[in-house]
């Protein structure tokens, strides 16, 4: 049986999410401008904002980073983003990207 101190330890910093995390280091979209993202970078970005369920739709329609700022409400619907909250979250995250 493990001691109580072993159970109460926090995870090591290398396993916690954050900018220094190994998981983000494997995502090259963080290292290049939006207009250079390919469809896989867009999918990784969707995963990073917890909307990975839309990855396949964006990739099937060949959505690249340069396309993201021009997407309309109708485009989102065609891509399978039918929940208003999901569309708003994507638009908010995109706005943050464009402002940084």
């Amino acid at each position: 049986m493990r001691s109580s101190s072993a159970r109460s330890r926090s995870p090591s910093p290398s396993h916690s999410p954050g900018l220094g995390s190994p998981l983000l280091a494997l995502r090259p979209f963080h290292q290049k401008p939006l207009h250079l993202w390919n469809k896989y970078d867009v999918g990784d970005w969707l995963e990073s904002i917890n909307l990975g369920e839309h990855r396949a739709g964006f990739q099937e329609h060949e959505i690249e980073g340069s396309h993201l700022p021009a997407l309309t409400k109708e485009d989102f619907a065609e891509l399978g983003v039918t929940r208003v909250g999901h569309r708003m979250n994507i638009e908010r995250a995109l706005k943050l990207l464009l402002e940084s």
Side-chain angles (χ1 to χ4, degrees):
M1 186 159 137
R2 295 178 141 187
S3 70
S4 63
S5 64
R7 278 184 267 142
S8 64
R9 287 189 316 184
S10 62
S12 69
S14 65
H15 296 298
S16 61
L19 291 177
S21 139
L23 293 176
L24 289 181
L26 297 174
R27 295 184 171 163
F29 73 90
H30 278 289
Q31 301 168 0
K32 54 186 169 183
L34 179 66
H35 71 277
L36 294 178
W37 288 7
N38 62 33
K39 66 181 183 178
Y40 303 107
D41 295 323
V42 171
D44 288 344
W45 173 70
L46 288 168
E47 294 277 352
S48 79
I49 61 171
N50 298 315
L51 290 169
E53 67 194 73
H54 300 295
R55 177 185 203 116
F58 276 66
Q59 288 180 350
E60 179 183 327
H61 288 276
E62 304 283 334
I63 300 299
E64 297 179 341
S66 61
H67 301 135
L68 291 174
L71 291 177
T72 65
K73 184 177 176 179
E74 293 77 21
D75 294 329
F76 281 113
E78 188 170 340
L79 291 166
V81 183
T82 56
R83 293 185 179 118
V84 174
H86 285 195
R87 180 175 50 85
M88 292 174 71
N89 288 341
I90 291 170
E91 290 172 339
R92 185 180 311 117
L94 180 58
K95 182 180 179 194
L96 289 173
L97 272 176
L98 294 171
E99 290 174 352
S100 63

